[in-house]
Each structure stands twice: as C-alpha cells, then as structure tokens.
C-alpha cells in the first residue's frame, strides 16, 4: 500500500493466556502456533487492508506482551487507541470476571470508543465455563459488539477484527465531518 487513507490504532485487552497474541497472529498472518513465548513490553503488528467505503487502511495492533499485570503500563499502552478488542477465555471463568477492570481502564483513559468483546477458545467446547449467553449479556450491558472465536481454527477471527475496524472508521469519519 503506497499511502493509506486511514491509520487506526487498536489494542488487545484481557488477562494473560486468553489468546490475545494467538488472535493477532491469526488475523495478521493467518497462522496459529501452539506457543508464543511472551516478549517483554508490547508486540506491535501492522496490517494493511482495503475497506469498502474507506479504501486503504493501515491497522496498528498493540498486543500486551506478558505485562498484563502492570497497571502502570496500561495508560501508556492505551494512549491514542481508537478502539479495542477485549478478550476472555471461554474455558476460564476468572478471565471473564476480570473484564470490568479491562473495560474500566479503557474507558477511563479513552472515553467512549468502539469496543468488541471476544470469547475465545470456542473450539474447546467440552471445557467451556462461560456460556455464549453470558458473554452476549455482558457485551449488551457494556455497549460492546460480541463474538465467540477460536484462534486455533480461525473461526470468526477475521470477522471480529474487521467489524471493529469498520466501527472505528465510521467513528473517525463522523468526527471529520463535525
Ligand atoms: P495471551 O497472548 O493472551 O497471553 P496466547 O495468550 O495467545 O499466548 O495463548 C495462550 C495459550 O492459549 C496458548 O497455549 C495458546 O496456544 C492457547 N490458545 C490461544 N487461543 C486458542 C484457541 O482459540 N483455542 C485453543 N484451543 N487454544 C488457544 P500454551 O499451551 O502455549 O499456553
Ligand atoms: Mg500474549
């Protein structure tokens, strides 16, 4: 892509091991590895795409690299974010209970911006601890979009990222007009 019409920054939020890094790699490279050894700080990935109505878009995707517990880092990480994917693991109830903290940090730092809730690891049906209905309800209560995904099979991953990116573009272009 020569020069994108839009550059959007999105962040992945959620507890360690919910599958953030796996989801980004699935979206950016369409691949899945059993292990992504966590790097320090943040992983920064870029994906260029063509979006109907908007043309060339460059998505800068920020992925917390094993520093999920350092609250002091979150503000810096969220700086300038246009939206976020907030992820829990459908086989881990604790990761679902912690969602308020992630959504709260985002809203405190960035205000009202597009947020997409993801229940990941949907391929592990026999280990499921959080029902799809609970996820849907949480999303509705917090005005977020929602989908269950599997970074392992790739199910719904592209759809989730693209829907979030389109919501972000709709918001940004609304601001341009006002
Ligand atoms: P994080 O970046 O949020 O910390 P990772 O999470 O992407 O590192 O994933 C944590 C573990 O969950 C990894 O396994 C990874 O392979 C696994 N995982 C991620 N997404 C899925 C999924 O959709 N389905 C299944 N079955 N597993 C998934 P390890 O064994 O490396 O801890
Ligand atoms: Mg990671």
């Amino acid at each position: 892509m020569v020069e994108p019409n839009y550059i959007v920054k999105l962040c992945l939020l959620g507890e360690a091991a919910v599958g953030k890094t796996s989801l980004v790699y699935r979206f950016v490279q369409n691949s899945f590895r059993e292990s992504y050894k966590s790097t320090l700080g943040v992983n920064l990935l870029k994906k260029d795409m063509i979006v109907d109505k908007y043309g060339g878009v460059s998505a800068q995707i920020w992925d917390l690299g094993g520093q999920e517990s350092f609250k002091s880092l979150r503000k810096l990480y969220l700086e300038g974010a246009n939206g976020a994917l907030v992820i829990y693991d459908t086989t881990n109830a604790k990761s679902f209970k912690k969602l308020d903290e992630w959504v709260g940090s985002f809203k405190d730092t960035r205000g009202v911006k597009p947020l997409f809730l993801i229940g990941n690891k949907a391929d592990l049906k026999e280990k499921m601890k959080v029902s799809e209905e609970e996820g849907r309800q949480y999303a509705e209560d917090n005005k977020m979009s929602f989908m269950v995904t599997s970074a392992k099979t790739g199910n719904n991953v592209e759809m989730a990222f693209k829907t979030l990116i389109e919501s972000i573009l709709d918001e940004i272009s609304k601001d341009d007009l006002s």
Side-chain angles (χ1 to χ4, degrees):
M1 191 178 296
V2 190
E3 182 101 4
N5 294 333
Y6 292 91
I7 296 172
V8 300
K9 172 179 171 179
L10 47 114
C11 289
L12 281 93
L13 305 177
E15 294 299 294
V18 295
K20 298 181 296 297
T21 303
S22 303
L23 287 163
V24 188
Y25 278 93
R26 170 58 72 190
F27 178 59
V28 173
Q29 300 180 343
N30 198 23
S31 67
F32 180 79
R33 274 191 283 142
E34 288 300 328
S35 186
Y36 296 102
K37 287 292 155 244
S38 39
T39 40
L40 291 179
V42 295
N43 302 322
L44 243 180
L45 288 100
K46 189 169 87 103
K47 174 132 170 151
D48 292 332
M49 66 198 99
I50 305 290
V51 180
D52 289 348
K53 287 200 289 185
Y54 296 107
V57 176
S58 181
Q60 297 182 348
I61 307 171
W62 291 49
D63 169 31
L64 279 170
Q67 300 291 318
E68 288 88 344
S69 58
F70 288 88
K71 297 217 166 100
S72 55
L73 237 149
R74 286 190 194 169
K75 213 171 164 172
L76 199 66
Y77 177 74
L78 292 168
E79 190 86 34
N82 301 109
L85 293 171
V86 186
I87 299 139
Y88 67 94
D89 172 352
T90 54
T91 70
N92 177 338
K94 189 172 171 225
S95 72
F96 185 72
K97 290 202 191 81
K98 290 270 191 173
L99 286 175
D100 278 349
E101 280 188 28
W102 290 102
V103 172
S105 315
F106 187 89
K107 287 185 175 165
D108 288 349
T109 315
R110 303 298 299 143
V112 180
K113 293 265 181 321
L115 291 177
F116 202 113
L117 180 67
I118 284 189
N120 190 41
K121 309 196 188 179
D123 57 291
L124 299 174
K125 287 201 172 59
E126 69 288 356
K127 291 191 177 164
M128 189 171 70
K129 296 280 178 358
V130 184
S131 72
E132 190 165 341
E133 189 45 42
E134 287 174 90
R136 193 175 307 286
Q137 188 63 53
Y138 186 91
E140 200 182 304
D141 294 345
N142 290 277
K143 300 187 170 58
M144 305 162 84
S145 306
F146 173 67
M147 229 170 239
V148 293
T149 62
S150 168
K152 188 164 187 171
T153 67
N155 191 40
N156 280 342
V157 176
E158 183 161 353
M159 181 76 98
F161 275 92
K162 287 204 162 153
T163 306
L164 175 67
I165 289 166
E166 285 187 25
S167 310
I168 288 173
L169 291 166
D170 291 344
E171 283 299 314
I172 293 176
S173 53
K174 220 166 41 185
D175 293 346
D176 283 352
L177 295 173
S178 61

